[in-house]
Every structure is written in C-alpha cells, then in structure tokens.
Amino acid sequence: MAECSENRPRKDFLDWLNTGMNAIQMSVGLITVLGAGASVRSMAMRQKWYPEARCVVPLWQQLQSVGGDLKRPTVHFSLNPYKELVPDKSLILQGRNKEGKTSLLRTSIPFYRWWSFGGYYGIYLDGAQGKGVNSFEKWQTTQMFGSTVNGGSEIGKALKQYRDQQRIRCWLHDYLGLTHPKPAIVIVDQFEELLKRFPEALDWANTLTNLHVRDNLARVVFVVNSNAGAKTLLNLNQGVRFKHLIMTPVTSAEAAACGVEKTWFEKCKQNIGLYKQARMTVEFEKLDTFVEQTLTDWSDDFHLPFPLKYDRSWRRLPEAKVTEMFLKELRKTLERGTALHNEERVDEGMRVAEHIFAGTSLPDLLDTPQLVFQKRFESRGAPRDLAEQLAKSTRRILGNPAPEVPPNGGK
C-alpha cells in the first residue's frame, strides 16, 4: 500500500531523530565507561535501587554462557526469532528437544547487536533449573538473584529500571511523544520443563506477557518443546497475545552441506542434537532402537502430557450442554486408555465422574487443577490409580477443543 505523502516528512523526521538518539546514547555510554567517577556513581545507584539483583545486560553476553561452545557439526535455520518480535504479541518458539532452539537464539543475534547502543539487552531465564529447587518461588528468586537469600523480587522492577535509564528517550516520549524507550528482551528458555514441574508458573507467564503486550516494557520469548506446551500459552484467555513460531527441521541435503552424515541424520529424524548423541554412543545397527527409546524418554521427561489451560471453545458451548458433552468425551477417552482396559473399570470411573460433575459449575470445571480433581475422585471412593487416570483425562479433554454441538442440540 502506498504511503500518504503528507505523512512521509513526519516519518523521515522520526527516523532521523531515532538515529540521533542512538548516537547520543552511544556517546553517553562511552563517557560513562571512561569516567571513573561516573562508573562508581552508576554502580552505587544500581545497588541502591536494586541491590544484588540481576539487571538488564547485553543478551548476547548471557547466551554465550549457555551450553558452552557450539559443537560441530552445526546446522543453520532460515528463521530469526528476533525479527518476529512485535509490540502486541509475545513470541512462542517451539522446537523438538535438542533441535537447537537455544543455539538459534544465540546465533541469530548479528554482531552489531552484541554490544553498544544498538545492542539487544535483556534477561535470560532457564526453566530447566527448576529441577534444582522445590518451589516456583525459589526458581524465580535464584534466576534473579543467584541465591535464595534475597526474596520478593519482581522481574518488572528490573524492566522498569532499564526503561528509566533511557532518560533521553523517556523524556522525548513522555513530553513530546516522538520516540519510545527500547524494551528489554526476556527469554524464558525451557519453559515447558518449568511448567511440568511447577504448573503455577503459568500465572507468572501471564503477568510477564502483560509486561510485554500491555506495558510495553519487554519483548518476551517463551521456548517450548511440544504442541501441548505451546497450546497451554495459547489457551490463556485474555485475547490473542502470542505469535507462534515453529522450527522446521533442516532437510537432509541442507544438513549434508554442513558436514552431517546424511543416512544417520535421516534415521535420527533430522534432529541434530539426537544425531550428535547417537554418533558418540551407539553403533549403526542399533540406531533405530536408540532413536525410538530416546525420543520416548524425552517426551516423558520434557513434554507436557496435555495443555494445562482449558481451550476457550469450552466456554462457547451452551452451559447446559457442557457437562453432558464433557462426560461423553470422558467415556471415549477412558475406553481408549490402556490403564482402564475393561468395561467394568470404565463404568466405575464414569459413576464417580458423573457424581462429581453433576453439581459442578462451568468455572469450577474449567479451572480446577488436576491434583484437586484427583482428590475429589478419591473422596468419592475411586482407587488412587483410577482417580489419577480420571483427573488426567479430565484436564486432557478440557485442554483441547470442545466437540461441536450436534444440530438441534443433539435431539
């Protein structure tokens, strides 16, 4: 679409002004680095405002310390996650385990974005480190402070501090409306592993997304392994606030051009991480079994079994029909399940479920966590294994799209 001629002078002026602000910030940065007194004063102010906490720093510097040196051979992906960042949507980066998601985030930063006034600044958070703590609050504290001694930290404080440090841009935005402070980039790596251990992290992710979409303080990237992890975020029901980017596997021909052995790579499902692991640990004759077992183990260890948040289509159903249609889906699920392989077991589970859900309101049905459902089923006499299966099946059904209402309400 052609640009209106009367808007072009304003756009040219804003582009010129933005370039000038970058140059001024670079000059101020150089003066700060060279001036010992200014450096000490800046450090003192930082400790006063936010003692011992991590602050927003060059993102490339943080990513260099993740995973050590890149091990050859390496493959190259055509997508760049940073080019997909937009003001009104957080980014979901989805890729298989060992596909190279973290390496992609690391290598996609061009050299002129490493440092200086035009660099990408942000905070890198590692969800995989949730395995080393026993609560989500401790994970959040250790990620921001490095220890559990200091608590009560909010990531929003670090983002607001970074915004306030851009004094010239803040002044021009607040008083003249000419430019915006640069938002920090927040990467939540291995987010699905964090959710698997601490489901309450989803509420935190919702707040973090608001810092991006509503407050414009950040550009947020959530890194997940599976469709269930991505759909958990996409099901957050506050409007369309996510952009979903899926890493397409590298073709065998592209991998071969990077020094990868084509036959091994194809047998490893075109997964470069699995390929490297297989080349070091297994003989070719045992490769198929190794690949199958490894992918199964990865799915069990690092994937959510189902979306943790209910699909919004359930709220669009007529409320009088929700329980009826849900119970039909539950019976189908139980009949397909391997744990409940006989009809008597299915009927027993359905009797308990019908008793529980007969008086359950729609909000209670949709928002109740799996463990709460399990306790309710056990309180009605269901054996523990049956109660667990019922609770998992309930959350699995609600996390996926609701069935369509039959014509005339099924009559």
Side-chain angles (χ1 to χ4, degrees):
M1 184 179 294
E3 185 179 9
C4 296
S5 58
E6 59 267 21
N7 292 333
R8 185 168 300 169
R10 174 179 172 80
K11 182 178 182 299
D12 292 342
F13 172 72
L14 292 176
D15 291 342
W16 171 84
L17 183 63
N18 187 60
T19 303
M21 291 305 100
N22 285 336
I24 292 173
Q25 283 195 332
M26 181 182 66
S27 301
V28 172
L30 290 174
I31 293 173
T32 302
V33 170
L34 295 175
S39 178
V40 172
R41 187 162 55 252
S42 175
M43 184 178 299
M45 290 297 291
R46 178 182 298 174
Q47 291 178 347
K48 178 180 178 181
W49 292 340
Y50 206 44
E52 299 185 46
R54 287 180 58 190
C55 56
V56 176
V57 298
L59 198 58
W60 179 83
Q61 178 184 2
Q62 299 177 68
L63 290 171
Q64 286 303 299
S65 62
V66 179
D69 296 333
L70 295 178
K71 298 177 177 63
R72 296 184 180 276
T74 59
V75 296
H76 305 286
F77 294 88
S78 58
L79 72 165
N80 185 334
Y82 301 103
K83 291 184 178 180
E84 304 294 331
L85 296 176
V86 294
D88 59 341
K89 293 179 183 178
S90 294
L91 181 66
I92 302 172
L93 176 62
Q94 178 183 339
R96 299 176 299 173
N97 292 88
K98 304 295 184 180
E99 189 87 77
K101 302 181 291 295
T102 305
S103 297
L104 176 67
L105 289 166
R106 176 175 169 178
T107 58
S108 295
I109 302 178
F111 74 92
Y112 55 86
R113 298 291 190 185
W114 290 358
W115 307 94
S116 188
F117 65 92
Y120 289 152
Y121 283 69
I123 297 175
Y124 173 85
L125 305 173
D126 186 3
Q129 293 187 12
K131 295 179 180 179
V133 293
N134 57 14
S135 71
F136 174 69
E137 289 75 15
K138 286 188 177 181
W139 173 84
Q140 190 175 4
T141 302
T142 55
Q143 289 293 293
M144 291 302 294
F145 287 103
S147 68
T148 58
V149 175
N150 298 294
S153 164
E154 295 292 340
I155 195 170
K157 293 180 181 179
L159 298 176
K160 290 175 182 177
Q161 176 185 335
Y162 176 67
R163 182 191 188 279
D164 293 341
Q165 288 175 346
Q166 304 175 59
R167 295 178 180 84
I168 297 176
R169 286 178 176 270
C170 288
W171 187 87
L172 289 173
H173 173 260
D174 294 342
Y175 293 99
L176 301 179
L178 294 178
T179 187
H180 290 272
K182 293 191 301 182
I185 299 174
V186 179
I187 296 176
V188 189
D189 203 0
Q190 312 296 345
F191 179 64
E192 189 166 348
E193 292 183 44
L194 184 67
L195 270 181
K196 190 177 177 71
R197 181 163 173 78
F198 304 120
E200 62 268 28
L202 186 60
D203 292 331
W204 170 81
N206 191 35
T207 301
L208 185 59
T209 302
N210 283 335
L211 292 175
H212 176 155
V213 176
R214 185 184 64 192
D215 301 333
N216 199 32
L217 288 173
R219 298 291 180 263
V220 181
V221 181
F222 295 100
V223 183
V224 298
N225 302 319
S226 69
N227 288 329
K231 195 159 179 32
T232 296
L233 288 166
L234 293 170
N235 284 352
L236 287 172
N237 51 3
Q238 293 187 7
V240 182
R241 300 183 301 160
F242 294 97
K243 190 174 184 179
H244 190 189
L245 182 64
I246 302 177
M247 292 177 63
T248 304
V250 175
T251 66
S252 300
E254 292 171 332
C258 300
V260 174
E261 208 287 320
K262 186 175 180 180
T263 304
W264 279 72
F265 189 67
E266 290 175 347
K267 282 186 171 291
C268 290
K269 311 297 184 183
Q270 297 170 272
N271 185 314
I272 186 61
L274 183 58
Y275 166 85
K276 292 178 182 179
Q277 187 171 334
R279 293 287 280 181
M280 292 187 297
T281 59
V282 70
E283 298 175 356
F284 185 79
E285 292 75 15
K286 301 178 181 178
L287 182 58
D288 290 337
T289 302
F290 172 81
V291 169
E292 182 180 354
Q293 291 177 346
T294 302
L295 291 178
T296 300
D297 291 341
W298 286 353
S299 178
D300 292 341
D301 293 341
F302 306 121
H303 292 190
L304 290 173
F306 45 79
L308 299 185
K309 183 69 176 178
Y310 68 86
D311 191 276
R312 281 174 281 179
S313 60
W314 285 97
R315 276 200 174 276
R316 302 189 188 107
L317 291 177
E319 188 164 354
K321 283 285 181 182
V322 171
T323 302
E324 175 188 345
M325 299 184 70
F326 165 75
L327 289 174
K328 287 182 179 179
E329 292 298 310
L330 181 59
R331 175 173 283 278
K332 293 178 184 178
T333 302
L334 295 181
E335 290 173 344
R336 291 194 300 264
T338 56
L340 305 176
H341 52 273
N342 61 72
E343 188 173 345
E344 291 183 4
R345 190 87 157 145
V346 173
D347 289 340
E348 181 185 2
M350 288 306 302
R351 282 194 296 271
V352 174
E354 289 169 0
H355 189 81
I356 290 291
F357 294 121
T360 302
S361 65
L362 180 60
D364 191 30
L365 173 65
L366 296 179
D367 289 319
T368 301
Q370 175 185 327
L371 290 178
V372 176
F373 272 134
Q374 182 174 334
K375 291 178 181 179
R376 290 181 182 177
F377 293 135
E378 290 179 359
S379 70
R380 293 296 178 180
R384 181 163 186 170
D385 60 336
L386 176 58
E388 182 179 359
Q389 185 71 14
L390 286 169
K392 285 183 178 180
S393 299
T394 297
R395 293 311 322 172
R396 186 187 302 275
I397 293 168
L398 296 175
N400 289 288
E404 295 184 3
V405 179
N408 300 321
K411 297 180 180 179

